Amino acid sequence: MSLYLVGQNIDKAKSHYQAEKGQLVQLMRGIYVDAADDANAVVLKHAVRIANYLYPTAYLSAASAVLLGPTRDGRLFLSGRRSQRTRIRSLEIIQNPAPDKPSIGNAVIDDGMGEFHVKVSAMRQRFLEAFRVRSEHAASIDDDMRDAIRTRLIAEFGSPKGAADAVWALARENAWYKEGEQAERFLLHAPSFKTVRNEAAIDLIVAWHGVAIGNLVHDGFEWRWNPAKTKGPALIRQTTPGALPPFIVSLLPEGWLETVLRNEDERTMLRSGKRYMSNITIVEQERELKEIAPDVLVRPLSDFTRDGVFIGRYRGPSRDTLETSFEKNLADLYASADTPRLSGIQIKAPMYLDKDGDLSASTSMPFTHILKPAGKSGFEALPVIEWLSLQLGKAVGFTVPSIAFVEMPDNMPPALLVERFDIRTSAEDQRRLAMEDLCSVLDLPPELKYSGTMERIAHAVRSLSTSPEADLLGILKRALFAWLIADGDMHLKNMALLKIADPGDDFFRSVRVAPLYDAVTTRVFPRLQDDRMALKLNGKNSRLRRADFRALATTVGIRAGDADAAIDQIVDALNTALITASLPKLHYYGDDGQVMAKKMLAVVKGQLDGFS
């Protein structure tokens, strides 16, 4: 495995030439790896060398000063002139401001490329760092590390009192008075009793594909993520001390389902359900993991689809028009903790398609498909519009999930059935899959899903994707497609990365932009006639022209020729697709399903005619 640093073991011209030839892959400016190597493994192996290259005046601190390397979950802790985070594939470099008068020592590192010297926090400062308030650096120093440093200081200064005096001297120089008090207390009176447990505290086991990967602990005040010491890629990261990790937040119900469940907070929401998207299970007892059926595709939806219509047997929720509503039936379905939880505003139900073509609610059964029934208050044709939108997306070259119309009972408009693409496709499939939406990737709460920009998305994807050039071009196409079909709801939760790891691997072999999903022409619905793009590009979310998409391409590093070819391909393919676009034959499309479909196609035609 080879790492190349411009100015150290390769010159700028040679690195650029070899990258153009496909021999090297650029991770970020000045940093390259061999194209044939596992970039994630290279980055972690040479993490300290990379950090020293990027931030030569910073020094290793907190847990990284103890380990002289990154933590097991790929974090490397530095102290320097400012507070900042840098993500390079599986490595996250976390830097906090250094004290005015640090106590620093020297260490020697050999990562296979030869020895080099780095600065690290000395023992006294390391001990004080362990007691910083609400600090991710402090949280990285576990109890074993803290006890080991205490023992080392006492041995150096002869007694707990001598060690406390020495630590206090450094604390006063840097005005770390609270840290000094905590450190002195720990040195002189190390805890020897069992802490009284808050009965409101919870300890939840998080499993991925049925294997525990860590614990979510809430002490009654804040969250703590404790990754398990098992093999596997780092899927969940706690980026803000005390807060629920963004990946977990992205799984939680919102909108209609959040209202139905009536959960008071994140704690009750997580305790009320067990099963989530991305093959995630969250339980209180380990034995519960064995009771939950894995989400594995038994038969593909295509086996039970004819001309766009589901031909299996629907055995899901129905509507009794005299006694209750369809929404109430769905609410009753979600009352069971064994019913998978879904995020998103739209009403939807988790379903299981068995080998015989029976489609039923996935309570206590594998969760293989998502049913999206008709909406209300003018959104009855939502499944129809989404079906057409995805068909257009497929026609212009996007990968889309398998979909089909389901003719519903009780004279209801048709529902849309969508096959999950983030689950295993057979019992023999041993891949580990996860889907992380862009809200989670950008560490933003769901309520800020409309606040991003396409440029910010592209920069984030570039650093994480295993095929960055293809994915950047895909993001450009995705933005253009959303504009041309008048999709005003392509927000950060409607775009995601699909991550795939092979059995036994510690890294994701594939991190790519997920297939097209939740694409809808919003401008045909009530009060959305003037809907704009959900995410800005080139500083705009309306009246977009070719020049705006070319500007996006330039900003994110897509070659002008490639951008123009992609734009032309999308426009030409969409014009062609509009000519043949039509709905399947159904007994009942609702009162305005077909009318709305014609309106949608007219809107798309207008967008195409106005694009230049």
Side-chain angles (χ1 to χ4, degrees), residues 253-262 334 340-345:
E254 56 179 330
W256 173 83
L257 182 53
E258 185 179 15
T259 302
V260 165
L261 295 174
R262 297 179 181 176
Y334 281 109
R341 275 31 181 167
L342 300 173
S343 62
I345 300 298

Side-chain angles (χ1 to χ4, degrees), residues 63 336 452 489 554:
S336 170
D489 205 39
T554 300

Side-chain angles (χ1 to χ4, degrees), residues 23 73-74 195 224 233 255 272 294 331 353-354 360 388 437 482 488 493 530 548 569 579 604 608:
Q23 298 170 353
D73 60 357
T195 304
R224 185 173 70 255
S272 70
L353 180 62
D354 69 15
S360 55
L388 270 176
D437 67 44
K493 287 189 71 65
D530 299 318
D548 297 303
Q569 183 266 321
I579 298 173
V604 177
L608 282 164

Side-chain angles (χ1 to χ4, degrees), residues 24-260:
L24 297 181
V25 174
Q26 184 179 29
L27 301 182
M28 65 183 304
R29 187 172 183 179
I31 302 176
Y32 297 81
V33 296
D34 282 324
D37 283 346
D38 183 336
N40 288 308
V42 174
V43 166
L44 287 180
K45 181 178 180 180
H46 302 292
V48 178
R49 187 180 293 271
I50 291 171
N52 197 45
Y53 175 77
L54 293 174
Y55 311 110
T57 61
Y59 56 88
L60 295 179
S61 56
S64 293
V66 177
L67 301 170
L68 296 181
T71 58
R72 186 178 181 85
D73 60 357
R75 295 179 296 164
L76 187 75
F77 294 93
L78 304 179
S79 291
R81 290 180 296 178
R82 62 177 66 88
S83 177
Q84 63 182 20
R85 308 175 83 97
T86 303
R87 185 84 170 267
I88 308 174
R89 295 295 176 94
S90 299
L91 173 67
E92 187 172 21
I93 301 173
I94 305 169
Q95 185 175 168
N96 71 355
D100 295 333
K101 297 180 180 179
S103 176
I104 301 173
N106 291 306
V108 180
I109 306 290
D110 189 342
D111 57 1
M113 291 177 62
E115 292 187 355
F116 62 100
H117 292 260
V118 295
K119 300 289 186 182
V120 301
S121 294
M123 283 293 171
R124 290 186 300 156
Q125 179 166 315
R126 211 175 294 176
F127 198 58
L128 288 169
E129 288 170 349
F131 295 97
R132 300 230 66 188
V133 179
R134 296 184 65 81
S135 164
E136 192 169 356
H137 281 57
S140 72
I141 301 178
D142 60 29
D143 291 340
D144 291 339
M145 290 181 185
R146 190 178 299 186
D147 288 338
I149 299 172
R150 176 181 184 271
T151 301
R152 165 69 173 74
L153 288 172
I154 292 174
E156 179 179 352
F157 294 102
S159 67
K161 180 66 167 61
D165 290 342
V167 170
W168 251 117
L170 180 60
R172 280 191 291 269
E173 285 187 63
N174 292 289
W176 282 11
Y177 300 116
K178 290 184 178 180
E179 291 83 352
E181 290 175 0
Q182 293 292 327
E184 179 184 48
R185 186 177 298 117
F186 194 87
L187 282 164
L188 298 179
H189 309 286
S192 58
F193 59 89
K194 186 176 181 180
T195 304
V196 176
R197 185 180 185 275
N198 176 10
E199 294 300 323
I202 57 175
D203 189 340
L204 301 173
I205 300 169
V206 180
W208 182 37
H209 287 287
V211 177
I213 59 172
N215 291 70
L216 269 178
V217 179
H218 194 279
D219 59 9
F221 174 67
E222 62 181 12
W223 289 102
R224 185 173 70 255
W225 167 244
N226 296 328
K229 295 180 180 179
T230 56
K231 290 182 67 65
L235 178 62
I236 300 172
R237 297 173 181 271
Q238 186 170 28
T239 55
T240 303
L244 199 61
F247 182 81
I248 299 296
V249 174
S250 72
L251 301 175
L252 298 181
E254 56 179 330
W256 173 83
L257 182 53
E258 185 179 15
T259 302
V260 165

Side-chain angles (χ1 to χ4, degrees), residues 73 101 153 215 217 222 277 318 347 431 434 438 472 518-519 530 540 574 579:
D73 60 357
K101 297 180 180 179
L153 288 172
N215 291 70
V217 179
E222 62 181 12
M277 296 287 288
S318 61
I347 296 175
R431 296 174 303 159
L438 268 297
L472 288 179
D518 285 0
D530 299 318
K540 300 166 62 177
L574 193 53
I579 298 173

Side-chain angles (χ1 to χ4, degrees), residues 496-511:
L497 294 177
L498 183 62
K499 302 180 177 184
I500 303 175
D502 287 326
D505 283 355
D506 283 335
F507 311 104
F508 290 106
R509 67 166 172 81
S510 173
V511 179

Side-chain angles (χ1 to χ4, degrees), residues 526-545:
R527 302 176 297 280
L528 298 178
Q529 293 85 349
D530 299 318
D531 212 13
R532 303 182 176 193
M533 285 278 283
L535 304 172
K536 289 185 177 181
L537 63 89
N538 197 30
K540 300 166 62 177
N541 60 3
S542 63
R543 299 182 180 179
L544 298 176
R545 296 292 183 265

